[in-house]
Amino acid sequence: MRLVLVGPPGAGKGTQAEFIAEHFGIPKVSTGDIFRANVSGGTDLGRLAKKYMDAGDLVPDEVTNAMVRDRLAQPDAADGFLLDGFPRNVSQAGELDDMLDEIGAPLSVVLDLEVEHDEVVKRLSGRRTCKKCGHVWHLEYDPPATPGICDRCGGDLYQRDDDHPDTVRHRLEVYAAQTAPLIDFYRERDKLVSIDALGAVEDVTERAITVLTPHQD
Ligand code: AMP
């Protein structure tokens, strides 16, 4: 299965991506995670990406497209993948189509996680990530037993720079202007399935698996 997840920041794409990828036995390719790993590792790519990420803007297409092209050429992506956070605009979607044409393997399906604006703001502002294992907690919805400490590994929790209120607002504007048009783009191509992404994580995962299963090759 070659699958793309779309939805606003805070829709739970990263969390759902992990469960869905595991269920279908495909690698999860998250452009946000790859950029963050480069920022932590102090690479040239990380230094370049950080400026855009901290502002809540998109990293330029040439940089992002080249990174995705490299990642999808890895052997583990040969039999399918789940893209989380890419494409982020119609131009990237065109580039993805070209990449897939080259290998003669069309996209199977695009899953749209639907969440309303106010809920997204609440989710993003309460989000806390573990510095050590990367697990994502939420101050209200999924708090760790000891505030500020990860229950899974004991690591310290932090708030992503781009989850601060001003940046959240800007990221949502960027989503509405650049990423939301992908929903029509894929609907017109008969690739889109949508689910309600409100509710318990495992309920949303179950909904996702139910609508995606018929699209397995
Ligand atoms: P995410 O974890 O998906 O919310 O991504 C965090 C940040 O990484 C975004 O706000 C962008 O700055 C950058 N980013 C992730 N994916 C892309 C993409 N496909 N195109 C451009 N920038 C991206």
Side-chain angles (χ1 to χ4, degrees):
M1 180 182 279
R2 285 168 299 278
L3 163 67
V4 165
L5 284 196
V6 292
K13 289 193 299 298
T15 306
Q16 292 303 330
E18 259 172 50
F19 293 121
I20 296 168
E22 191 185 315
H23 178 86
F24 291 108
I26 49 180
K28 164 185 135 159
V29 175
S30 158
T31 43
D33 285 353
I34 303 175
F35 283 133
R36 276 185 290 279
N38 276 276
V39 171
S40 315
T43 68
D44 287 346
L45 175 63
R47 267 188 291 279
L48 186 149
K50 187 171 175 10
K51 284 189 299 194
Y52 297 95
M53 294 170 79
D54 286 352
D57 284 320
L58 297 186
V59 178
D61 287 348
E62 313 80 72
V63 175
T64 308
N65 292 339
M67 186 178 86
V68 171
R69 187 178 278 278
D70 277 358
R71 179 62 187 88
L72 295 187
Q74 302 296 312
D76 67 331
D79 292 329
F81 50 78
L82 182 162
L83 279 169
D84 158 29
F86 184 92
R88 216 44 168 244
N89 58 32
V90 171
S91 162
Q92 292 182 3
E95 183 74 15
L96 177 62
D97 277 349
D98 291 348
M99 291 180 211
L100 295 176
D101 276 353
E102 286 164 26
I103 56 170
L107 207 56
S108 311
V109 63
V110 176
L111 177 66
D112 168 31
L113 298 181
E114 294 182 326
V115 192
E116 60 184 41
H117 183 89
D118 289 355
E119 175 65 17
V120 154
V121 174
K122 250 168 93 178
R123 286 189 185 187
L124 290 173
S125 49
R127 188 153 83 167
R128 296 293 182 275
T129 307
C130 175
K131 274 186 187 158
K132 217 158 121 191
C133 73
H135 186 76
V136 180
W137 301 92
H138 193 281
L139 295 182
E140 192 181 329
Y141 301 136
D142 186 19
T146 314
I149 305 290
C150 178
D151 284 352
R152 291 196 170 179
C153 75
D156 289 333
L157 304 185
Y158 75 105
Q159 183 173 34
R160 279 171 45 172
D161 285 341
D162 58 354
D163 281 347
H164 290 284
D166 283 351
T167 318
V168 163
R169 218 166 296 128
H170 184 58
R171 286 166 68 205
L172 290 171
E173 286 163 10
V174 170
Y175 176 79
Q178 302 203 40
T179 311
L182 286 178
I183 292 175
D184 281 342
F185 177 93
Y186 285 122
R187 186 181 290 123
E188 283 159 14
R189 285 159 181 75
D190 259 343
K191 293 285 183 196
L192 193 79
V193 292
S194 299
I195 58 166
D196 179 0
L198 267 190
V201 169
E202 49 288 6
D203 294 343
V204 178
T205 308
E206 204 177 301
R207 271 173 232 154
I209 290 171
T210 304
V211 298
L212 292 174
T213 299
H215 296 274
Q216 255 179 313
D217 287 345

